[in-house]
């Protein structure tokens, strides 16, 4: 039995990645085994969960090593097979060095990881720890390789070692709760209120393709948002749309959470 790929891929943004995921789902159906994907970016993950939510033949669980991880893996299995979060296998690495005099950024650590020959999909989130180094999530098969191969970031010698997931130093996201009252639920109105910018600038960002709702690019300012939507603007952070109520004057009172 093959999944109806062409039908499932209609209208998706990340067609190549989702096509590969459906091939892996076919493999899970055919072999009766649990199949794990590489790490997926948030836009791909969101579309994948939408597609798999339509299928009765397979089930999926996802995880990235800690609750708010951006990059996550999927485990895919036939509906008849027991499946839980433990089937998403993820390892954590500590990359320790003295970066006091040569500060390294997320890009520096990622560059050094990829410099060992890895492809991006094998690496999850990277947590930069200031002058002490960083921690990163990877697929478990790469731990031994990276412990011996990742020895320098920028000019700084580093010691790379496996650590339990419980030792990840995850900073809770900074967030701000706010409420706005608007005449409509248009994306430009809600987005500008949540991100603290003018409606004109928000409309320009939307038209330029820099705004996503639930990780999908939206280019129409008149797009109506709903409770639970996540609005993101490159370089400005994200806003989650919370509860929406009507006021006595028939305007929308919208609770928003801004992540910075």
């Amino acid at each position: 039995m093959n999944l109806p790929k062409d039908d499932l891929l209609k209208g998706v943004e990340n067609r190549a990645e989702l096509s590969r995921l459906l091939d892996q789902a076919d493999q899970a159906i055919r072999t009766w085994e649990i199949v794990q994907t590489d790490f997926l970016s948030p836009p791909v993950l969101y579309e994948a969960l939408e597609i798999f939510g339509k299928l009765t033949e397979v089930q999926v669980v996802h995880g990235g090593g800690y609750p708010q991880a951006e990059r996550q893996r999927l485990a895919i299995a036939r509906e008849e097979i027991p499946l839980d979060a433990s089937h998403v296998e993820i390892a954590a690495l500590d990359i320790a060095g003295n970066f006091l005099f040569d500060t390294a950024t997320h890009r520096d650590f990622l560059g050094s990881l990829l410099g060992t020959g890895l492809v991006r999909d094998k690496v999850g989130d990277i947590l930069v720890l200031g002058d002490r180094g960083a921690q990163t999530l990877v697929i478990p098969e790469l731990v031994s390789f990276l412990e011996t191969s990742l020895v320098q970031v920028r000019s700084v010698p580093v010691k790379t070692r496996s650590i339990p997931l419980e030792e990840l130093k995850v900073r809770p996201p900074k967030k701000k709760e706010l409420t706005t009252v608007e005449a409509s639920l248009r994306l430009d109105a809600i987005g500008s209120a949540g991100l603290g910018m003018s409606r004109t600038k928000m409309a320009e960002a939307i038209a330029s393709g820099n705004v996503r709702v639930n990780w999908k690019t939206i280019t129409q300012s008149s797009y109506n948002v709903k409770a639970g939507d996540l609005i993101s603007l490159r370089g400005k952070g994200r806003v989650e749309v919370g509860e929406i109520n009507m006021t006595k004057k028939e305007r929308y009172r919208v609770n928003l959470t801004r992540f910075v």
Side-chain angles (χ1 to χ4, degrees):
M1 175 182 63
N2 289 324
L3 297 172
K5 278 179 66 171
D6 289 340
D7 289 340
L8 291 167
L9 294 175
K10 278 181 184 169
V12 301
E13 282 192 10
N14 302 282
R15 187 179 179 89
E17 294 93 333
L18 290 162
S19 179
R20 284 196 295 272
L21 294 179
L22 289 173
D23 287 341
Q24 289 182 291
D26 272 328
Q27 178 189 343
I29 292 169
R30 192 175 61 252
T31 62
W32 288 77
E33 293 177 349
I34 297 171
V35 176
Q36 293 184 76
T37 71
D38 287 335
F39 285 96
L40 309 176
S41 66
V44 176
L45 177 66
Y46 188 87
E47 284 195 319
L49 294 177
E50 275 194 326
I51 285 180
F52 284 117
K54 300 173 185 176
L55 300 175
T56 56
E57 301 92 336
V58 293
Q59 56 178 322
V60 299
V61 292
H62 58 97
Y66 63 101
Q68 62 267 42
E70 286 201 353
R71 296 176 62 81
Q72 300 191 26
R73 302 182 80 184
L74 293 178
I76 310 169
R78 290 184 72 116
E79 186 59 40
E80 302 92 335
I81 295 176
L83 186 68
D84 60 46
S86 68
H87 292 109
V88 183
E89 298 174 356
I90 295 172
L93 290 173
D94 186 70
I95 308 167
N98 182 2
F99 291 89
L100 187 60
F101 303 107
D102 192 2
T103 305
T105 64
H106 182 282
R107 179 175 293 190
D108 293 322
F109 286 103
L110 177 59
S112 295
L113 283 159
L114 300 185
T116 66
L118 296 191
V119 294
R120 181 67 178 101
D121 296 345
K122 304 296 182 185
V123 182
D125 284 7
I126 299 170
L127 310 173
V128 180
L129 305 178
D131 60 16
R132 292 169 296 148
Q135 295 173 330
T136 188
L137 289 306
V138 297
I139 63 172
E141 302 92 294
L142 291 174
V143 167
S144 297
F145 168 74
L146 287 169
E147 284 181 327
T148 56
S149 300
L150 184 57
V151 295
Q152 183 172 323
V153 176
R154 290 181 61 84
S155 66
V156 178
V158 296
K159 170 72 173 173
T160 303
R161 64 181 179 92
S162 174
I163 57 172
L165 292 175
E166 296 76 32
E167 289 187 22
L168 287 171
K169 295 181 172 65
V170 180
R171 295 187 183 92
K174 294 179 181 176
K175 57 185 182 179
K176 178 181 178 184
E177 308 285 343
L178 56 147
T179 301
T180 186
V181 177
E182 304 290 341
S184 75
L185 294 174
R186 286 171 55 111
L187 176 57
D188 56 354
I190 305 302
S192 63
L195 293 166
M197 59 196 298
S198 75
R199 190 158 170 175
T200 301
K201 278 196 164 50
M202 187 70 193
E204 289 171 355
I206 295 167
S208 301
N210 291 323
V211 176
R212 291 176 180 262
V213 178
N214 300 327
W215 303 109
K216 287 187 177 180
T217 302
I218 303 294
T219 55
Q220 297 296 321
S221 291
S222 58
Y223 178 93
N224 280 338
V225 302
K226 60 186 185 303
D229 280 352
L230 185 69
I231 303 166
S232 54
L233 171 56
R234 197 170 299 158
K236 289 286 187 179
R238 300 174 196 148
V239 172
E240 185 174 9
V241 181
E243 190 176 351
I244 301 173
N245 293 297
M246 294 294 289
T247 69
K248 290 178 181 177
K249 295 183 178 179
E250 296 194 343
R251 289 163 69 85
Y252 295 94
R253 179 182 287 110
V254 185
N255 294 329
L256 300 170
T257 303
R258 181 179 179 185
F259 300 89
V260 293

